[in-house]
Coordinates of all heavy atoms in Angstrom, one line a residue:
D1 N 24.1 -150.4 2.8 CA 25.4 -149.8 2.6 C 26.5 -150.8 2.3 O 27.7 -150.5 2.2 CB 25.8 -149.0 3.8 CG 26.0 -149.8 5.1 OD1 25.7 -151.0 5.0 OD2 26.4 -149.3 6.1
G2 N 26.1 -152.1 2.2 CA 27.1 -153.1 1.8 C 27.7 -153.8 3.0 O 28.5 -154.8 2.9
W3 N 27.3 -153.4 4.2 CA 27.8 -154.1 5.5 C 26.7 -154.8 6.2 O 25.6 -154.2 6.3 CB 28.5 -153.0 6.4 CG 29.7 -152.4 5.8 CD1 29.8 -151.3 5.1 CD2 31.0 -152.9 5.9 NE1 31.1 -151.1 4.7 CE2 31.9 -152.0 5.2 CE3 31.6 -154.0 6.6 CZ2 33.3 -152.2 5.1 CZ3 33.0 -154.2 6.5 CH2 33.8 -153.3 5.8
I4 N 26.9 -156.0 6.7 CA 25.9 -156.7 7.4 C 25.6 -156.1 8.8 O 26.6 -155.9 9.6 CB 26.3 -158.2 7.6 CG1 26.4 -158.9 6.2 CG2 25.3 -158.9 8.5 CD1 26.8 -160.3 6.3
D5 N 24.4 -155.8 9.0 CA 24.0 -155.3 10.3 C 23.4 -156.4 11.2 O 23.2 -157.5 10.7 CB 22.9 -154.2 10.1 CG 23.4 -153.1 9.1 OD1 24.4 -152.5 9.4 OD2 22.7 -152.9 8.1
I6 N 23.2 -156.1 12.5 CA 22.7 -157.0 13.4 C 21.3 -156.6 13.8 O 21.0 -155.5 14.2 CB 23.6 -157.1 14.7 CG1 25.0 -157.5 14.2 CG2 23.0 -158.1 15.7 CD1 26.0 -157.5 15.4
V7 N 20.3 -157.6 13.7 CA 18.9 -157.4 14.1 C 18.6 -158.3 15.3 O 19.1 -159.4 15.3 CB 18.0 -157.7 12.9 CG1 16.6 -157.4 13.3 CG2 18.4 -156.9 11.7
S8 N 17.9 -157.8 16.2 CA 17.6 -158.5 17.4 C 16.2 -158.2 17.9 O 15.8 -157.1 18.1 CB 18.6 -158.1 18.5 OG 18.4 -158.8 19.7
G9 N 15.5 -159.3 18.2 CA 14.2 -159.2 18.9 C 14.3 -159.2 20.4 O 15.4 -159.5 20.9
Q10 N 13.2 -158.9 21.1 CA 13.2 -158.9 22.6 C 12.0 -159.7 23.1 O 11.0 -159.7 22.5 CB 13.1 -157.5 23.1 CG 14.3 -156.6 22.5 CD 14.2 -155.2 23.1 OE1 14.7 -154.9 24.2 NE2 13.5 -154.3 22.4
F11 N 12.2 -160.3 24.3 CA 11.2 -161.1 24.9 C 10.0 -160.3 25.4 O 8.9 -160.5 25.0 CB 11.8 -161.9 26.1 CG 12.6 -163.1 25.7 CD1 14.0 -163.1 25.9 CD2 12.0 -164.3 25.3 CE1 14.7 -164.2 25.6 CE2 12.8 -165.4 25.0 CZ 14.1 -165.3 25.2
T12 N 10.3 -159.3 26.2 CA 9.2 -158.6 26.9 C 9.2 -157.1 26.6 O 8.7 -156.3 27.4 CB 9.3 -158.8 28.5 OG1 10.6 -158.3 28.9 CG2 9.2 -160.3 28.8
E13 N 9.8 -156.7 25.5 CA 9.8 -155.3 25.0 C 9.3 -155.4 23.6 O 9.5 -156.3 22.8 CB 11.1 -154.7 25.1 CG 11.7 -154.5 26.5 CD 10.9 -153.6 27.4 OE1 10.2 -152.7 26.8 OE2 11.1 -153.7 28.6
R14 N 8.5 -154.4 23.2 CA 7.9 -154.4 21.9 C 8.8 -154.1 20.7 O 8.6 -154.6 19.6 CB 6.8 -153.3 21.8 CG 5.6 -153.6 22.8 CD 4.6 -152.4 22.9 NE 4.0 -152.2 21.6 CZ 2.7 -152.4 21.3 NH1 2.0 -153.0 22.3 NH2 2.2 -152.1 20.2
E15 N 9.9 -153.4 21.0 CA 10.8 -152.9 19.9 C 11.6 -154.0 19.4 O 12.3 -154.8 20.1 CB 11.7 -151.8 20.3 CG 10.9 -150.5 20.7 CD 10.5 -150.5 22.2 OE1 10.8 -151.5 22.9 OE2 9.8 -149.5 22.6
V16 N 11.7 -154.2 18.0 CA 12.7 -155.0 17.3 C 13.8 -154.0 16.9 O 13.6 -153.0 16.3 CB 12.0 -155.7 16.1 CG1 13.1 -156.5 15.4 CG2 10.9 -156.5 16.5
L17 N 15.0 -154.4 17.3 CA 16.1 -153.5 17.2 C 17.1 -153.9 16.0 O 17.2 -155.1 15.7 CB 16.9 -153.4 18.5 CG 16.1 -153.1 19.7 CD1 17.0 -153.3 21.0 CD2 15.5 -151.7 19.7
W18 N 17.7 -152.9 15.5 CA 18.9 -153.2 14.6 C 20.0 -152.3 14.9 O 19.9 -151.1 15.3 CB 18.5 -153.1 13.1 CG 18.3 -151.8 12.5 CD1 17.1 -151.0 12.6 CD2 19.2 -151.1 11.7 NE1 17.3 -149.8 11.8 CE2 18.6 -149.8 11.3 CE3 20.5 -151.3 11.2 CZ2 19.2 -148.9 10.5 CZ3 21.1 -150.4 10.4 CH2 20.5 -149.2 10.0
F19 N 21.2 -152.9 14.7 CA 22.5 -152.2 15.1 C 23.3 -152.0 13.8 O 23.7 -153.0 13.2 CB 23.2 -153.0 16.2 CG 22.4 -153.1 17.5 CD1 21.4 -154.1 17.6 CD2 22.5 -152.2 18.5 CE1 20.7 -154.3 18.7 CE2 21.7 -152.3 19.6 CZ 20.8 -153.3 19.8
K20 N 23.6 -150.8 13.5 CA 24.3 -150.5 12.3 C 25.8 -150.9 12.3 O 26.5 -150.4 13.2 CB 24.2 -149.0 12.0 CG 24.9 -148.5 10.7 CD 24.6 -147.1 10.4 CE 25.4 -146.6 9.2 NZ 25.1 -147.3 8.0
N21 N 26.2 -151.7 11.4 CA 27.6 -152.0 11.3 C 28.4 -150.8 10.9 O 28.1 -150.2 9.8 CB 27.8 -153.1 10.2 CG 29.2 -153.7 10.1 OD1 30.1 -153.0 10.4 ND2 29.2 -154.9 9.7
P22 N 29.4 -150.3 11.7 CA 30.1 -149.1 11.4 C 30.9 -149.2 10.1 O 31.2 -148.1 9.5 CB 30.9 -148.9 12.6 CG 31.1 -150.2 13.2 CD 29.8 -150.9 12.9
G23 N 31.3 -150.4 9.7 CA 32.0 -150.6 8.4 C 33.4 -150.2 8.4 O 34.2 -150.6 7.5
D24 N 33.9 -149.4 9.4 CA 35.3 -149.0 9.4 C 36.1 -149.9 10.3 O 36.3 -149.7 11.5 CB 35.3 -147.5 10.0 CG 36.8 -147.0 10.0 OD1 37.6 -147.6 9.3 OD2 37.0 -146.0 10.7
W25 N 36.5 -151.0 9.7 CA 37.2 -152.1 10.4 C 38.7 -151.9 10.2 O 39.1 -151.7 9.1 CB 36.7 -153.5 10.0 CG 35.3 -153.7 10.3 CD1 34.2 -153.3 9.6 CD2 34.8 -154.5 11.4 NE1 33.1 -153.8 10.2 CE2 33.4 -154.5 11.3 CE3 35.4 -155.1 12.5 CZ2 32.6 -155.1 12.2 CZ3 34.6 -155.8 13.4 CH2 33.2 -155.8 13.3
P26 N 39.5 -152.2 11.2 CA 39.2 -152.5 12.6 C 39.1 -151.3 13.6 O 39.1 -151.5 14.8 CB 40.3 -153.4 13.0 CG 41.5 -152.9 12.3 CD 41.0 -152.3 11.0
S27 N 39.2 -150.1 13.0 CA 39.4 -148.9 13.9 C 38.2 -148.7 14.9 O 38.3 -148.2 16.0 CB 39.6 -147.6 13.1 OG 38.5 -147.4 12.3
T28 N 37.0 -149.1 14.5 CA 35.8 -148.9 15.3 C 35.4 -150.2 16.1 O 34.4 -150.4 16.6 CB 34.6 -148.5 14.5 OG1 34.3 -149.6 13.5 CG2 34.8 -147.2 13.8
R29 N 36.4 -151.1 16.2 CA 36.1 -152.4 16.8 C 35.6 -152.4 18.2 O 34.8 -153.2 18.6 CB 37.4 -153.2 16.7 CG 37.3 -154.7 17.1 CD 38.6 -155.4 16.8 NE 38.6 -156.8 17.2 CZ 38.9 -157.3 18.4 NH1 39.3 -156.4 19.3 NH2 38.8 -158.6 18.7
Q30 N 36.0 -151.5 19.0 CA 35.6 -151.4 20.4 C 34.4 -150.5 20.7 O 34.0 -150.4 21.8 CB 36.8 -151.0 21.3 CG 38.0 -151.9 21.2 CD 37.7 -153.3 21.8 OE1 36.9 -153.4 22.6 NE2 38.4 -154.3 21.3
A31 N 33.9 -149.8 19.6 CA 32.8 -148.9 19.8 C 31.5 -149.6 19.8 O 31.3 -150.5 19.1 CB 32.9 -147.8 18.8
L32 N 30.5 -149.1 20.6 CA 29.2 -149.6 20.5 C 28.5 -149.2 19.2 O 28.8 -148.1 18.7 CB 28.3 -149.0 21.6 CG 28.7 -149.4 23.1 CD1 27.7 -148.8 24.1 CD2 28.7 -151.0 23.2
W33 N 27.8 -150.1 18.6 CA 27.2 -149.8 17.3 C 25.9 -148.9 17.5 O 25.2 -149.0 18.5 CB 26.8 -151.1 16.6 CG 28.0 -151.9 16.2 CD1 29.3 -151.8 16.6 CD2 27.9 -153.0 15.2 NE1 30.1 -152.7 15.9 CE2 29.3 -153.5 15.1 CE3 27.0 -153.6 14.5 CZ2 29.6 -154.5 14.2 CZ3 27.3 -154.7 13.6 CH2 28.6 -155.1 13.5
E34 N 25.6 -148.2 16.5 CA 24.4 -147.3 16.5 C 23.1 -148.1 16.6 O 22.9 -149.1 15.9 CB 24.3 -146.5 15.2 CG 23.1 -145.6 15.1 CD 23.1 -144.9 13.8 OE1 24.1 -144.3 13.3 OE2 22.0 -145.0 13.1
R35 N 22.3 -147.8 17.6 CA 21.1 -148.6 17.9 C 19.9 -147.9 17.2 O 19.7 -146.7 17.3 CB 20.9 -148.6 19.4 CG 19.6 -149.3 19.9 CD 19.5 -149.2 21.4 NE 18.4 -149.9 22.0 CZ 17.2 -149.4 22.2 NH1 16.9 -148.2 21.7 NH2 16.2 -150.2 22.8
N36 N 19.1 -148.7 16.6 CA 17.9 -148.2 15.9 C 16.7 -149.1 16.1 O 16.9 -150.3 16.4 CB 18.1 -148.2 14.3 CG 19.4 -147.3 14.0 OD1 19.3 -146.1 13.8 ND2 20.5 -148.0 13.9
I37 N 15.5 -148.6 16.1 CA 14.3 -149.4 16.2 C 13.8 -149.7 14.7 O 13.6 -148.8 13.9 CB 13.2 -148.6 16.9 CG1 13.6 -148.4 18.4 CG2 11.9 -149.4 16.9 CD1 12.7 -147.5 19.1
L38 N 13.7 -151.0 14.5 CA 13.3 -151.5 13.2 C 11.8 -151.5 13.0 O 11.2 -151.1 12.0 CB 13.9 -152.9 12.9 CG 13.6 -153.5 11.5 CD1 14.2 -152.7 10.4 CD2 14.2 -154.9 11.5
T39 N 11.1 -152.0 14.1 CA 9.7 -152.1 14.0 C 9.1 -152.3 15.4 O 9.9 -152.6 16.4 CB 9.2 -153.2 13.1 OG1 7.8 -153.1 12.8 CG2 9.5 -154.6 13.6
D40 N 7.8 -152.3 15.5 CA 7.1 -152.6 16.8 C 6.5 -154.0 16.6 O 5.7 -154.2 15.7 CB 6.0 -151.5 17.0 CG 5.2 -151.7 18.3 OD1 5.3 -152.8 18.9 OD2 4.5 -150.8 18.7
S41 N 6.9 -154.9 17.5 CA 6.4 -156.2 17.4 C 4.9 -156.4 17.7 O 4.3 -157.3 17.4 CB 7.2 -157.2 18.3 OG 6.9 -156.9 19.7
G42 N 4.4 -155.4 18.5 CA 3.0 -155.4 18.9 C 2.7 -156.2 20.1 O 1.6 -156.4 20.5
S43 N 3.8 -156.7 20.7 CA 3.6 -157.6 21.9 C 4.8 -157.4 22.9 O 5.9 -157.1 22.5 CB 3.6 -159.1 21.5 OG 3.5 -159.9 22.6
K44 N 4.5 -157.7 24.2 CA 5.5 -157.8 25.2 C 5.7 -159.2 25.7 O 6.2 -159.5 26.8 CB 5.2 -156.9 26.3 CG 5.4 -155.4 26.0 CD 5.3 -154.5 27.3 CE 5.6 -153.1 26.9 NZ 5.6 -152.2 28.2
K45 N 5.2 -160.2 24.9 CA 5.3 -161.6 25.2 C 5.8 -162.4 24.0 O 5.0 -163.2 23.4 CB 3.9 -162.1 25.7 CG 3.5 -161.4 27.0 CD 2.1 -161.8 27.4 CE 1.7 -161.1 28.7 NZ 0.3 -161.4 29.1
N46 N 7.0 -162.1 23.5 CA 7.5 -162.6 22.3 C 8.4 -163.8 22.6 O 9.4 -163.8 23.3 CB 8.4 -161.5 21.6 CG 7.6 -160.3 21.3 OD1 6.7 -160.3 20.6 ND2 8.0 -159.1 21.9
E47 N 8.0 -165.0 22.0 CA 8.7 -166.2 22.2 C 10.0 -166.2 21.5 O 11.1 -166.6 22.0 CB 7.8 -167.4 21.7 CG 8.5 -168.7 21.9 CD 8.7 -169.0 23.4 OE1 7.9 -168.6 24.3 OE2 9.7 -169.8 23.7

């Protein structure tokens, strides 16, 4: 959508997450970003 999103892995959870950039700056500045599951890492022991 033209806006940079944030992707984050987890140490002991399988889900790799991405958070959608709302794009409406600065009015949504204090709101939590939409949380999505990008993929399953297949492990709960992720370095």
Side-chain angles (χ1 to χ4, degrees):
D1 65 354
W3 294 91
I4 293 177
D5 307 303
I6 301 173
V7 184
S8 179
Q10 302 184 85
F11 283 105
T12 61
E13 298 294 340
R14 295 171 64 108
E15 296 86 2
V16 180
L17 306 173
W18 74 277
F19 299 87
K20 180 178 174 58
N21 188 330
D24 184 14
W25 295 82
S27 62
T28 58
R29 187 172 179 269
Q30 299 296 333
L32 294 182
W33 291 17
E34 178 187 309
R35 179 184 185 272
N36 303 273
I37 296 175
L38 183 61
T39 191
D40 182 345
S41 71
S43 175
K44 289 190 174 183
K45 298 175 181 178
N46 301 298
E47 183 63 30

